[in-house]
């Protein structure tokens, strides 16, 4: 029963990202609550396999609710979480500012991976990418995710995954 | 100093981690690959069927929460808004009376000339928004109508008042995904109501829609109402898109652009309508 709770929370987080958090944002960019939650688990959690499984599940659910063809978000979320795990050794210590830096790093990684995935899938063309708009969107997303990091930091004693 | 890699309690080697990741990535790639074999994703339809009761409840709650918040914050502007609306209402009533007269005249003239109204008869079905796209800059949402209800790709989606929202981009058995006109890949043939100045409308990096390919000397200005022209072959003619916010003149080019504030902006209603082909 206890092992179901983290996944129920993850399910709820995905639902909230597709509903409630759509109201909190600007110019079509909003808080990536699920990603922050996964990065939080990578930073404070200890279990690689379960975090990767959570990333896969989150991608699976996000894919279900998204207008994108199935599979792209699973790929993007798992790849971003894996890369964040791999780069974790660069972020020494677990102070608040290191956590904030890690969230920012993870957000940038996720956006880069998603853009590359969509580019490879020909859902986005090189000519169609407006890099100034992409940079602006990334800045808004970073700001919102960092605000979320402030909320998550006090919860570090309760590792979700 | 505490090293995070150590703190993670990594017992697995990096090689093994790559293997685990490769396994998940292969599963994701399989889903991507399977997309090519089925026109309507059954997995997606099943997932939406499972999540829709939860997302609907969350959407209703969010809507209520934000409507209440908005009402509280806007309460001080209510008297000014009320006066403006009264003035607008008076003008609209006068206009309505004029249109009624004109409509009567048209019916009489048609009867005299024996002309019938041509064009394709379109049917409309109502749908509810289940959830918005969870990915930033992906301007789409999911509705609870799908192939079983007769919805097909490319159908126009509007909200009350003939306001254009977008088109159906993906169809599953019981659900469909709708791509908003704010999406950069969504091109809409548009024209101004006043001078019938035409152009092509799409999403832009700003919060406005961008109406491009407007002839340099064309008559268009801030405040003009923009409607669909029907020239794109996707959206029916006469749907309301928005109002021109500003004009962007380019000294060198042969066209000018207009930034259009979408009429649906800020819409919170969950009820939409699909115009079936």
């Amino acid at each position: 029963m206890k092992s179901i709770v983290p996944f129920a929370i993850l399910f709820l987080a995905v639902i909230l990202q597709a509903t409630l958090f759509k109201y909190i944002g600007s110019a079509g960019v909003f808080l990536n609550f699920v990603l922050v939650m996964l990065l939080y688990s990578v930073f404070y959690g200890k279990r690689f396999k379960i975090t990767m499984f959570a990333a896969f599940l989150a991608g699976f659910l996000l894919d279900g609710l998204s207008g994108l063809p199935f599979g792209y978000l699973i790929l993007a979320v798992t790849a971003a979480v894996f890369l964040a795990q791999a780069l974790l050794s660069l972020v020494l210590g677990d102070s608040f500012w290191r956590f904030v830096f890690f969230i920012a790093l993870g957000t940038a990684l996720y956006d880069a991976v998603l853009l590359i995935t969509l580019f490879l899938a020909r859902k986005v063309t090189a000519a169609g990418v407006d890099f100034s708009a992409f940079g602006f969107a990334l800045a808004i997303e970073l700001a919102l995710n960092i605000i979320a990091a402030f909320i998550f930091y006090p919860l570090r004693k309760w590792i979700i995954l | 100093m505490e090293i995070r890699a150590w703190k993670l309690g990594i017992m697995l080697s990096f090689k093994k981690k790559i293997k685990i990741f490769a396994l998940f990535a292969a599963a994701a790639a399989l889903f991507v690959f399977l997309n090519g074999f089925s026109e309507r994703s059954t997995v997606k339809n099943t997932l939406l069927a499972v999540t829709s009761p939860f997302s609907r409840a969350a959407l209703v709650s969010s809507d209520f929460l934000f409507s209440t918040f908005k009402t509280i914050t806007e309460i001080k502007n209510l008297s000014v808004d009320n006066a403006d609306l009264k003035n607008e209402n008076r003008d609209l009533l006068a206009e309505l009376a004029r249109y009624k007269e004109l409509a009567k005249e048209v019916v009489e003239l048609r009867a005299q000339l024996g002309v019938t109204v041509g064009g394709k008869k379109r049917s409309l079905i109502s749908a509810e928004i289940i959830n918005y796209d969870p990915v930033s800059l992906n301007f789409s949402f999911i509705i609870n109508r799908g192939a079983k209800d007769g919805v097909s790709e490319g159908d126009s989606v509007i909200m009350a008042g003939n306001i254009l929202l977008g088109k159906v981009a993906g169809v599953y058995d019981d659900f469909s995904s709708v791509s908003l006109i704010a999406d950069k890949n969504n091109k809409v043939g548009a024209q101004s109501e006043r001078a019938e100045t035409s152009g092509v409308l799409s999403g832009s990096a700003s919060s406005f829609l961008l109406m491009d390919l407007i002839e340099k000397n064309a008559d268009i200005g801030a405040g003009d109402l923009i409607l669909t022209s029907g020239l794109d072959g996707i959206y029916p003619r006469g749907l309301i898109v928005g109002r021109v916010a500003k004009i962007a003149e380019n000294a060198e080019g042969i066209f000018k652009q207009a930034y259009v504030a979408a009429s649906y902006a800020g819409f919170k209603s969950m009820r939409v309508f699909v115009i079936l082909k």
Side-chain angles (χ1 to χ4, degrees), chain B residues 116-145:
Chain B
T116 53
V117 183
K120 214 170 166 182
K121 196 184 174 194
R122 295 169 188 272
S123 52
L124 206 70
I125 56 163
S126 87
E128 258 182 28
I129 298 175
I130 293 299
N131 66 266
Y132 296 102
D133 201 298
V135 182
S136 286
L137 291 181
N138 218 18
F139 298 93
S140 71
F141 56 80
I142 305 280
I143 55 170
N144 64 346
R145 299 285 189 178

Side-chain angles (χ1 to χ4, degrees), chain B residues 36-262:
Chain B
F37 289 94
S38 76
E39 205 177 299
R40 295 198 290 270
S41 169
T42 321
V43 183
K44 205 157 182 163
N45 193 65
T46 314
L47 247 172
L48 282 166
V50 172
T51 55
S52 60
F54 298 97
S55 45
R56 197 184 175 282
L59 208 56
V60 170
S61 314
S62 321
D63 191 31
F64 174 75
L65 205 73
F66 281 88
S67 302
T68 313
F69 179 73
K70 207 176 166 196
T71 310
I72 292 167
T73 53
E74 286 178 356
I75 222 154
K76 59 179 179 184
N77 301 325
L78 279 180
S79 57
V80 180
D81 287 348
N82 195 28
D84 288 347
L85 284 171
K86 273 182 182 167
N87 285 337
E88 202 177 331
N89 195 29
R90 192 192 53 220
D91 294 345
L92 286 171
L93 278 173
E95 211 167 318
L96 183 69
R98 265 203 314 275
Y99 279 124
K100 275 184 178 169
E101 281 301 310
L102 283 170
K104 231 190 271 176
E105 218 174 291
V106 168
V107 171
E108 282 167 10
L109 283 169
R110 276 190 184 137
Q112 275 179 356
L113 295 166
V115 176
T116 53
V117 183
K120 214 170 166 182
K121 196 184 174 194
R122 295 169 188 272
S123 52
L124 206 70
I125 56 163
S126 87
E128 258 182 28
I129 298 175
I130 293 299
N131 66 266
Y132 296 102
D133 201 298
V135 182
S136 286
L137 291 181
N138 218 18
F139 298 93
S140 71
F141 56 80
I142 305 280
I143 55 170
N144 64 346
R145 299 285 189 178
K148 282 180 184 170
D149 305 289
V151 178
S152 58
E153 222 167 281
D155 284 350
S156 304
V157 179
I158 59 170
M159 59 187 277
N162 271 359
I163 295 168
L164 180 66
L165 287 171
K167 66 174 180 188
V168 173
V171 186
Y172 319 109
D173 285 342
D174 307 296
F175 304 92
S176 305
S177 75
V178 177
S179 165
L180 279 167
I181 48 173
D183 190 317
K184 275 190 93 174
N185 300 319
N186 228 343
K187 309 280 183 210
V188 184
Q191 64 179 30
S192 71
E193 187 209 27
R194 186 175 55 83
E196 297 200 345
T197 301
S198 60
V200 177
L201 211 123
S202 66
S204 76
S206 69
S207 52
F208 293 112
L209 302 169
L210 183 71
M211 187 166 161
D212 205 353
L213 305 178
I214 303 169
E215 278 180 39
K216 198 132 206 185
N217 55 356
D219 179 14
I220 190 165
D224 277 357
L225 184 66
I226 302 297
L227 307 172
T228 52
S229 65
L231 294 174
D232 49 38
I234 299 169
Y235 300 101
R237 188 184 159 92
L239 299 174
I240 297 168
V241 177
R243 277 191 192 277
V244 175
K246 57 183 174 184
I247 303 289
E249 301 269 5
N250 182 355
E252 288 159 16
I254 52 168
F255 297 112
K256 61 182 174 183
Q257 287 107 25
Y259 285 96
V260 178

Side-chain angles (χ1 to χ4, degrees), chain A residues 42-119:
Chain A
V42 171
F43 196 80
Y44 291 111
K46 291 185 176 87
R47 295 178 293 178
F48 177 81
K49 273 187 196 170
I50 203 104
T51 310
M52 284 307 291
F53 179 69
F56 181 85
L57 187 72
F60 185 79
L61 291 169
L62 288 170
D63 248 335
L65 303 184
S66 166
L68 291 170
F70 209 81
Y72 295 124
L73 287 175
I74 306 178
L75 210 57
V77 175
T78 46
V81 169
F82 172 73
L83 288 172
Q85 287 259 14
L87 294 174
L88 188 61
S89 55
L90 299 175
V91 188
L92 303 175
D94 57 2
S95 71
F96 173 68
W97 293 112
R98 287 188 172 99
F99 176 55
V100 168
F101 172 73
F102 186 68
I103 294 287
L105 182 76
T107 305
L109 272 175
Y110 170 76
D111 283 341
V113 169
L114 186 62
L115 191 69
I116 293 166
T117 312
L118 293 176
F119 181 74

